Amino acid sequence: MTAPISERLDDFEQARASGRRKMDWAAQHMPICDALASEFETDQPFDGERIGMAMHVEAKTAILAEILAAGGAEVAITGCNPLSTHNDVSAALDAVDGVTSYAERGVDDEAYYAAIEAVIDHEPTITVDDGMDLVAAIHEDYPELIDTIVGGAEETTTGVHRLRAMDDDGELNYPVFAVNDTPMKRLFDNVHGTGESSLASIAMTTNLSWAGKTVVVAGYGHCGKGVAKKASGQNADVVVTEVEPRRALEAHMEGYDVLPMAEAAEEGDVFITTTGNRDVIVEEHFEAMDDGVLLANAGHFDVEIDLDALGDLAVDTYEARDGVQAYELADGRRLNVLAEGRLVNLATPIALGHPVEVMDQSFGVQAVCVRELVQNSEAYDPGVHDVPDRLDKVVAEIKLESEGVEYDALTDTQSEYMDSWQHGT
Ligand code: NAI
């Protein structure tokens, strides 16, 4: 059985202090979580609940875990990606009262899933996932726990996608909130968060400039829009690839070149996949690429760039820089893969994930959803649920208040007008 991180790190005390510093910095910029923490400390809404979490264990996530524990929960947490954990933050989190952290960076598949099982061993009554690993493991291997599970909350597009597929098959046996799909999450985290943090991570990892580069963005969904906009803002030329006609048209109307990947492969200097799909960049594309291109993925799983095919094509591979693996082809071209094709904004050695303010919003929604599951559990049948709009609005209101932003309210006449069908010309 996997032990908590505190029992596995040689330099635990040093790591704990470093992780705590990162958490304290993040907390200073998370007014939504701060406001909710005050409510939770007073009301203890999670008293008696056990919350299992599988998320990217870095500073902002640690604050979410900490405020849930402050609200009375026993929290057990591990990573949702083998490369995104910050060991020092995991150590600091493990030292928080009421929290046990199993997350460790760089573990192999066996250790990764053993840590998921260690979280499940706490017999969670609520699950908080980023990618659905906990929900899947509980349904497949620990179905006896489902009766006592109040519900779950899911952070990302791919997790919600998998949950809806499971629900359609009649296999999802407890309620789960699609946190990803709320305006307060998706319109900020996926768009601006992924855009800013992916570009920052690529630039810091490679020490290369965006200006004058052609950046190929695969997928023009929420994440792709953010990546394209920020790359364009850094004076790169942006090419978009899509499979959905309206998304392709949107990209075209924004002024980006839209091309099939077979053609984009010949044009790009940097390739960033954001599709949530598999096999987006494959052998025929590698064959067409220039020497020196950068290949990065910002989608949830490491299946968007076919690294097996690239490995087969390569005559040599070597670490060109920390977090950059060069694949040298027979004709001498070098194709450079960042972060082993895993989430580039979270999995390079220097990656920090999304900006703190953005995650404050996402985790604010997570926190109010967990409270809703406890307080109104009878209102939700097994299956995927949209987050009630009132909860999302509460998070927006806290944020606006903390920013000192005032905004208008509808007058009674306006409300009546908006609700009426009789008013016409
Ligand atoms: P989305 O559904 O809004 O967009 C995905 C887009 O990719 C769609 O427009 C779809 O038509 C397109 N697409 C699908 N297959 C394609 C293909 N073969 N070629 C070109 N385009 C294709 O999803 P969203 O919210 O943008 O999320 C995308 C991925 O990013 C998911 O895996 C999600 O979990 C992940 N994600 C990653 C984050 C990060 O921190 N890196 C943050 C949030 C989401």
Side-chain angles (χ1 to χ4, degrees):
M1 179 58 70
T2 303
I5 188 84
S6 53
E7 294 169 30
R8 283 181 280 137
L9 285 186
D10 294 337
D11 54 351
F12 175 72
E13 271 312 318
Q14 205 181 342
R16 188 198 58 72
S18 154
R20 187 70 244 178
R21 216 168 46 235
K22 289 183 184 175
M23 286 172 66
D24 289 345
W25 174 260
Q28 280 179 52
H29 303 275
M30 297 178 78
I32 301 168
C33 286
D34 186 50
L36 292 171
S38 303
E39 290 178 27
F40 293 171
E41 277 161 23
T42 308
D43 302 342
Q44 294 292 294
F46 312 125
D47 191 24
E49 303 296 336
R50 293 179 300 279
I51 302 179
M53 301 174 68
M55 306 198 92
H56 302 292
V57 177
E58 45 75 65
K60 289 89 75 183
T61 314
I63 298 301
L64 172 64
E66 190 171 51
I67 70 170
L68 295 175
E74 175 192 330
V75 176
I77 185 167
T78 185
C80 64
N81 181 301
L83 289 185
S84 63
T85 295
H86 290 213
N87 283 350
D88 53 356
V89 172
S90 182
L93 199 44
D94 199 49
V96 170
D97 268 357
V99 182
T100 311
S101 178
Y102 297 94
E104 186 176 355
R105 183 183 162 89
V107 290
D108 61 19
D109 272 8
E110 194 184 335
Y112 177 83
Y113 286 106
I116 297 258
E117 295 203 358
V119 168
I120 295 173
D121 211 42
H122 287 251
E123 302 190 353
T125 54
I126 293 168
T127 57
V128 180
D129 259 314
D130 187 323
M132 209 200 89
D133 281 349
L134 277 178
V135 172
I138 287 169
H139 280 73
E140 278 165 17
D141 301 324
Y142 302 90
E144 68 279 6
L145 295 181
I146 289 172
D147 274 353
T148 48
I149 293 181
V150 183
E154 169 55 51
E155 173 78 4
T156 198
T157 313
T158 286
V160 170
H161 195 79
R162 291 176 78 194
L163 284 164
R164 291 201 195 280
M166 195 175 175
D167 198 10
D168 288 347
D169 286 349
E171 299 288 341
L172 180 58
N173 294 324
Y174 63 83
V176 183
F177 278 129
V179 170
N180 176 74
D181 295 357
T182 62
M184 279 299 283
K185 197 277 181 184
R186 188 154 63 176
L187 299 183
F188 300 88
D189 174 319
N190 300 30
V191 179
H192 298 282
T194 310
E196 282 190 33
S197 61
S198 298
L199 262 61
S201 180
I202 294 169
M204 293 295 291
T205 301
T206 61
N207 197 207
L208 297 175
S209 165
W210 293 106
K213 297 260 188 330
T214 298
V215 176
V216 177
V217 181
Y220 196 66
H222 293 85
C223 296
K225 283 175 189 167
V227 170
K229 186 180 174 71
K230 308 285 174 180
S232 176
Q234 297 270 16
N235 297 346
D237 292 323
V238 173
V239 173
V240 168
T241 74
E242 250 299 343
V243 292
E244 212 286 332
R246 290 154 300 181
R247 292 270 169 93
L249 191 53
E250 261 188 284
H252 173 69
M253 294 294 279
E254 282 294 330
Y256 303 125
D257 285 338
V258 179
L259 292 173
M261 183 57 85
E263 289 175 40
E266 296 173 9
E267 311 255 324
D269 300 305
V270 184
F271 295 78
I272 308 174
T273 52
T274 69
T275 71
N277 205 345
R278 59 173 305 141
D279 302 334
V280 179
I281 302 182
V282 297
E283 183 176 347
E284 62 164 303
H285 308 132
F286 301 135
E287 300 275 19
M289 287 175 181
D290 281 341
D291 179 34
V293 298
L294 305 179
L295 300 169
N297 165 50
H300 187 76
F301 286 120
D302 59 343
V303 294
E304 306 211 12
I305 304 168
D306 186 354
L307 290 184
D308 288 340
L310 185 55
D312 289 345
L313 278 183
V315 292
D316 190 19
T317 73
Y318 56 92
E319 193 176 39
R321 287 174 64 83
D322 280 357
V324 182
Q325 192 72 16
Y327 289 72
E328 194 169 319
L329 308 188
D331 58 10
R333 283 178 299 135
R334 290 151 300 180
L335 313 191
N336 298 297
V337 176
L338 276 71
E340 302 174 21
R342 296 190 186 275
L343 293 155
V344 73
N345 58 326
L346 284 150
T348 62
I350 52 85
L352 297 172
H354 288 2
V356 178
E357 299 92 329
V358 169
M359 292 318 295
D360 187 33
Q361 293 188 197
S362 302
F363 290 155
V365 181
Q366 285 283 4
V368 294
C369 282
V370 172
R371 181 170 60 185
E372 174 75 1
L373 285 169
V374 176
Q375 292 180 337
N376 288 318
S377 58
E378 67 294 337
Y380 301 99
D381 292 331
V384 180
H385 292 267
D386 289 333
V387 175
D389 215 34
R390 66 186 155 80
L391 297 182
D392 205 44
K393 280 188 179 159
V394 163
V395 176
E397 283 162 7
I398 301 174
K399 175 75 176 180
L400 286 169
E401 194 181 330
S402 76
E403 298 271 315
V405 176
E406 293 186 28
Y407 62 108
D408 285 328
L410 290 173
T411 62
D412 290 345
T413 315
Q414 286 171 334
S415 290
E416 191 255 326
Y417 178 80
M418 296 302 284
D419 289 343
S420 157
W421 56 268
Q422 284 112 338
H423 295 290
T425 47

